[in-house]
Amino acid sequence: MNGLGAVVTEQADGSYFGTRPVLTQEQAQDPDYLQQATLPLSSETHSPVDVAIYASGPWAHLFDGTVEQSYVYHVMKHAVEAE
């Protein structure tokens, strides 16, 4: 949502304006592609927003639905240690 790939620029009056360019499949899959962002910052940050995550296979029952982002790390760590 934020970072160097911002598609908005600051206007002379202090407001921001921008539009999202139409991307081709080739542009989006380019290894050097910079993901579009909404808020221009010098680097990106991670938000504490919940994420939807689903899985199949061993320990998949722990990944079923919407969870806090920090939960993902702990479940993955648990699954690796249990192997």
Side-chain angles (χ1 to χ4, degrees), residues 14-75:
S15 66
Y16 288 87
F17 176 79
T19 58
R20 291 183 179 265
V22 177
L23 295 175
T24 65
Q25 189 72 15
E26 183 179 331
Q27 290 171 313
Q29 291 179 338
D30 186 320
D32 295 323
Y33 172 68
L34 187 59
Q35 179 64 43
Q36 295 176 9
T38 306
L39 182 63
L41 292 177
S42 61
S43 64
E44 69 177 80
T45 61
H46 289 273
S47 71
V49 178
D50 292 350
V51 294
I53 188 163
Y54 300 91
S56 62
W59 300 99
H61 65 284
L62 298 175
F63 282 136
D64 188 23
T66 303
V67 298
E68 292 183 19
Q69 288 184 17
S70 60
Y71 176 79
V72 177
Y73 164 79
H74 294 289
V75 172

